[in-house]
Amino acid sequence: MSELGLCSRREADEWIEKGWVIVDGVRIDTLGTKVRPEQQIEIDPAARAEQAKLVTILLHKPVGFVSGQAEDGYLPAVTLITPENHWDGDRSGIRFTGMQLRALAPAGRLDIDSTGLLVLTQDGRVARQLIGENSDIDKEYLVRVTYGDQETDIDQTFPPESLAKLRHGLSLDDVPLKPAMVSWQNGEQLRFVLREGKKRQIRRMCELVGLNVVGLKRVRMGRVQLGALPQGQWRYLNAEESF
């Protein structure tokens, strides 16, 4: 069911236990039941109704918050999901309730020193789309850098062959990186578009070519933009939006 994109593994377990899964017209309520590829899987409307209540939240994460569990005294980003921090520009029409915090988890990392778009979701389908093994959703970042003692007009002196390496040719932990789109936005800022998300990937890539990252902001995930969402505030993913 998870592989077909019907739900997350956790949801599949819950639905089976509640008798909401039908295989070839027979309700299945035993976990681990084997299903052949040619068999027809149907989902009870009650499961779809419950799934429709799941929320996905877009947060403009500030520096100083970790994406996931609290660590080293730093608070997790989910603690910012409060009524007070709900952006008044949200046009989703969804009303906040405490139940929306249940099983709300980040779909992808954004390290403590970085800002920008962080997605938190209750929906396993969204998480799979963004961070699943076969995900091909691209993520866009604006990255402010220094080069040696140089803080401006770096684009004029940074070697073209090093820029080419950032685009393709670097390895992290002895694993070659996928091709990336990298270009200068101005004399001190690069634009990165990646289709993978290794830990501190952009910072480590820049170090390998002599650049020091002094600011990193994620501005897009797939077709969803950070836009005008203020730092420290959040909004719901609208019904008409998709990654």
Side-chain angles (χ1 to χ4, degrees):
M1 290 166 62
S2 174
E3 288 171 5
L4 290 172
L6 299 174
C7 60
S8 68
R9 293 178 182 273
R10 179 181 57 80
E11 283 176 317
D13 288 348
E14 291 178 0
W15 293 0
I16 291 167
E17 289 174 338
K18 290 177 179 178
W20 288 347
V21 178
I22 303 158
V23 178
D24 288 348
V26 178
R27 286 190 183 271
I28 302 298
D29 58 9
T30 303
L31 295 176
T33 299
K34 300 212 179 285
V35 179
R36 298 186 304 277
E38 70 272 12
Q39 290 185 283
Q40 181 72 31
I41 299 176
E42 298 176 75
I43 305 301
D44 191 290
R48 295 297 188 201
E50 187 169 281
Q51 198 174 50
K53 297 176 185 176
L54 301 176
V55 298
T56 295
I57 285 173
L58 312 177
L59 170 69
H60 188 161
K61 189 189 87 66
V63 167
F65 287 82
V66 292
S67 298
Q69 298 295 319
E71 56 183 76
D72 300 329
Y74 293 104
L75 291 173
V78 71
T79 59
L80 292 169
I81 311 304
T82 65
E84 294 76 22
N85 292 335
H86 189 187
W87 183 39
D88 59 12
D90 190 336
R91 298 292 178 262
S92 66
I94 302 173
R95 183 177 178 182
F96 177 77
T97 70
M99 284 296 292
Q100 293 167 357
L101 297 176
R102 177 179 175 268
L104 186 68
R109 292 186 298 264
L110 194 58
D111 68 56
I112 192 168
D113 300 317
S114 301
T115 67
L117 180 60
L118 181 67
V119 176
L120 301 110
T121 187
Q122 294 178 314
D123 194 331
R125 296 169 301 173
V126 171
R128 183 182 177 87
Q129 190 178 42
L130 291 178
I131 58 174
E133 188 177 334
N134 298 316
S135 173
D136 63 352
I137 300 293
D138 58 2
K139 290 94 174 176
E140 181 178 347
Y141 303 81
L142 297 180
V143 185
R144 195 157 53 87
V145 295
T146 60
Y147 185 51
D149 296 329
Q150 193 176 355
E151 296 184 3
T152 58
D153 298 324
I154 302 166
D155 58 332
Q156 303 298 315
T157 57
F158 188 64
E161 58 270 24
S162 294
L163 185 63
K165 279 188 177 181
L166 285 173
R167 290 170 176 158
H168 194 211
L170 296 177
S171 298
L172 293 179
D173 304 320
D174 297 322
V175 178
L177 295 173
K178 294 179 181 179
M181 292 175 60
V182 186
S183 58
W184 287 104
Q185 288 289 100
N186 55 49
E188 60 184 38
Q189 185 169 260
L190 285 161
R191 172 182 174 265
F192 277 73
V193 180
L194 305 181
R195 287 186 179 268
E196 59 188 333
K198 297 183 182 297
K199 189 173 183 179
R200 298 180 74 83
Q201 178 173 337
I202 290 176
R203 295 177 188 276
R204 294 166 69 193
M205 289 172 70
C206 287
E207 285 174 8
L208 290 173
V209 294
L211 292 171
N212 178 49
V213 174
V214 294
L216 190 155
K217 182 179 183 179
R218 183 158 63 202
V219 296
R220 180 177 62 81
M221 295 180 75
R223 292 195 293 265
V224 176
Q225 304 270 357
L226 177 65
L229 183 63
Q231 193 169 124
Q233 296 187 28
W234 61 273
R235 69 173 179 88
Y236 294 102
L237 184 72
N238 294 323
E240 66 273 13
E241 290 180 300
S242 70
F243 293 99

